[in-house]
Amino acid sequence: MILTLNVAVLLAVIIYFRIGRKGQFQSKANQWLTVSIVLVFGVLIAPTEFGQGIVNVLGDVVKNLSDSGSR
């Protein structure tokens, strides 16, 4: 579990710097690399308590938005 969290933190830092470069054009391959890194990050963080908390909060937000839209 410790290894998973360390890799997740490393990927979070990489994602931050890759997405933080605004104003620069990116090639298709560069965009796919960023998407792949984000997907791996999601897979690594999902089984943790933090990841489950994010899923629960987002689920509640979506449920509240869909309930308010149906009124």
Side-chain angles (χ1 to χ4, degrees):
M1 188 63 126
I2 294 172
L3 178 65
T4 302
L5 292 176
N6 289 339
V7 172
V9 169
L10 175 65
L11 284 177
V13 170
I14 291 171
I15 291 167
Y16 175 79
F17 284 114
R18 289 189 65 81
I19 293 176
R21 298 182 303 163
K22 293 183 179 177
Q24 295 181 0
F25 293 106
Q26 293 184 356
S27 68
K28 236 1 171 182
N30 200 2
Q31 290 174 349
W32 277 111
L33 179 62
T34 302
V35 168
S36 301
I37 291 171
V38 169
L39 285 174
V40 170
F41 176 71
V43 167
L44 288 174
I45 200 168
T48 64
E49 288 183 29
F50 178 69
Q52 293 299 315
I54 291 173
V55 168
N56 291 337
V57 167
L58 289 177
D60 290 342
V61 168
V62 169
K63 182 181 175 190
N64 289 335
L65 288 175
S66 64
D67 287 346
S68 66
S70 63
R71 290 181 191 175

